[in-house]
Amino acid sequence: MKFLDQAKIYIRSGNGGAGAVSFRREKFIPNGGPDGGDGGNGGNVWITAADGLNTLIDFRYQQHFKAATGTHGMGRQMHGAKGEDVILKVPVGTQVLDDDKETVLLDMDVAGKTEMLLKGGNGGWGNVRFKGPQNQAPKYANPGQEGQERWIWLRLKLIADVGLAGLPNAGKSTFLAAASAAKPKIADYPFTTLVPNLGMVDLSPTERFVIADIPGLIEGANEGAGLGTRFLGHVERSASLIHLIDGTQEDVAEAYRIIRHELDAYGAGLADKTEILALNKIDALTPEAREKKAAELEAIAGRRPMLVSGVSGEGVTELLRAAWNEVRKTRGDIIMVDDEETVADTPGGWAP
């Protein structure tokens, strides 16, 4: 299945059904009078966040969604049925934007969340509604109210607990493949990853979290260079970031500086997220080279990087444990008390 994270669609709610003009004429009933029924309301347009979806690819093949018109009223005071609704099913994390592609209308960030996008038109009244002492035989009824219509954008921001950041060829896809069951494309050239990939990390039956690998960034990405910042939105919701540095390149400090600058320039709180710094591809380095490059990163970042290798698996478990610790803090399992980590108590004790 192809990955699609944004789509423009047209939505329209249904028109209301027209009211009926009808009179009751039956033998031996001299005072039948008006009996036209009301029209049914038009269908609404709904949107719901559904589990199991991770792409907007369905909206590439269908861009127009129109709810049904309400059934018209009929004689004998038979009211029309309501028009059928349209329900758009989108992945959790989808944002609904106005036609300007900037104004956020809805954020479908919780599974099962359902919101009405457009309300159907009201059904028209039949002539039985207008009878009275001064108008005992009204010969008119209301038409149905017109439905609403608009163009909207759907933009998906994947909800992952941890996001991977780094320059192209930093080994993010290899690390994701080593840490989870995901099978991203891996090759020895830059920009191998063109779409975000999600992987589920299973440290134990009770220690699971989602990790997202986004396409590599280059200098000037915040101004549209390379793949730009289109995919950075997928790590906005992440609890923390794993910043992978390619240990085989000459200047690891410069690589760190480039990514940090792009995160700062992008905004949306990415620069403020907890960052776990890791020197990758250490399987290709000698012990002396590892120490030298780790010292260079420590000098610019102010903390010691973790040493990992997605190929050999060295240090991968330790890095995932550190990431899981940050995920637990975000979920509220661990709280900080006087700069010390404390396991939060579950109200009422453990429950299945």
Side-chain angles (χ1 to χ4, degrees):
M1 181 182 293
K2 290 186 177 180
F3 181 85
L4 185 70
D5 64 344
Q6 58 184 13
K8 185 178 183 180
I9 62 173
Y10 169 84
I11 55 176
R12 192 185 196 285
S13 59
N15 297 333
V21 177
S22 175
F23 292 91
R24 183 179 182 183
R25 294 184 177 89
E26 296 181 42
K27 191 176 182 179
F28 306 122
I29 302 180
N31 299 319
D35 69 348
D38 301 338
N41 294 335
N44 305 319
V45 179
W46 299 83
I47 187 170
T48 183
D51 268 334
L53 298 178
N54 58 9
T55 176
L56 298 173
I57 189 65
D58 292 339
F59 298 98
R60 170 169 289 178
Y61 306 109
Q62 182 181 357
Q63 292 87 33
H64 293 76
F65 299 87
K66 300 178 182 178
T69 299
T71 304
H72 301 315
M74 292 176 284
R76 297 186 179 181
Q77 297 190 33
M78 289 190 291
H79 303 311
K82 179 182 181 299
E84 187 175 355
D85 293 344
V86 166
I87 301 178
L88 307 178
K89 294 184 179 180
V90 298
V92 178
T94 301
Q95 290 182 328
V96 181
L97 287 78
D98 203 355
D99 193 21
D100 60 9
K101 209 177 178 180
E102 293 183 358
T103 306
V104 177
L105 305 176
L106 290 172
D107 192 356
M108 311 301 290
D109 56 349
V110 178
K113 183 177 181 179
T114 302
E115 298 286 347
M116 182 186 294
L117 292 176
L118 295 178
K119 188 179 186 303
N122 293 326
W125 282 359
N127 65 337
V128 71
R129 295 269 195 171
F130 299 99
K131 68 179 181 180
Q134 297 180 350
N135 187 7
Q136 298 182 7
K139 299 180 179 180
Y140 54 85
N142 282 344
Q145 186 181 31
E146 288 286 326
Q148 303 171 322
E149 60 181 351
R150 72 187 307 173
W151 285 91
I152 60 172
W153 280 90
L154 300 178
R155 182 174 63 191
L156 173 61
K157 292 184 177 180
L158 295 176
I159 297 181
D161 297 302
V162 178
L164 292 176
L167 291 173
N169 247 17
K172 299 186 297 297
S173 296
T174 303
F175 176 80
L176 180 66
S180 68
K183 298 180 179 179
K185 181 179 179 181
I186 299 173
D188 60 351
Y189 53 83
F191 295 113
T192 307
T193 302
L194 298 177
V195 297
N197 294 301
L198 283 180
M200 175 66 73
V201 177
D202 285 300
L203 293 175
S204 74
T206 60
E207 299 172 312
R208 307 179 71 197
F209 63 94
V210 179
I211 190 168
D213 167 28
I214 63 170
L217 302 175
I218 64 174
E219 190 167 14
N222 67 90
E223 299 174 355
L227 295 177
T229 58
R230 174 177 174 180
F231 297 118
L232 276 175
H234 294 292
V235 295
E236 283 185 25
R237 308 175 192 266
S238 300
S240 57
L241 297 176
I242 294 179
H243 186 170
L244 290 181
I245 303 292
D246 182 359
T248 62
Q249 60 188 348
E250 291 295 329
D251 194 345
V252 292
E254 177 64 11
Y256 175 84
R257 185 199 63 78
I258 290 174
I259 295 300
R260 290 305 307 178
H261 173 72
E262 297 307 322
L263 294 178
D264 287 334
Y266 179 80
L270 287 188
D272 299 326
K273 291 185 179 297
T274 302
E275 179 191 64
I276 303 174
L277 183 60
L279 182 66
N280 197 16
K281 302 184 182 181
I282 60 172
D283 58 289
L285 301 177
T286 64
E288 294 76 14
R290 292 185 185 186
E291 183 58 34
K292 177 183 177 183
K293 292 182 182 293
E296 293 176 4
L297 281 178
E298 185 176 8
I300 189 173
R303 60 188 182 279
R304 181 78 175 176
M306 302 188 71
L307 305 180
V308 298
S309 170
V311 173
S312 66
E314 183 180 354
V316 171
T317 301
E318 291 76 7
L319 179 55
L320 294 177
R321 284 287 176 190
W324 170 244
N325 198 53
E326 296 300 328
V327 171
R328 293 184 65 195
K329 292 179 183 178
T330 304
R331 295 178 180 177
D333 296 337
I334 296 178
I335 58 176
M336 301 298 293
V337 178
D338 297 331
D339 296 330
E340 293 185 0
E341 297 180 0
T342 302
V343 177
D345 293 329
T346 302
W350 180 87

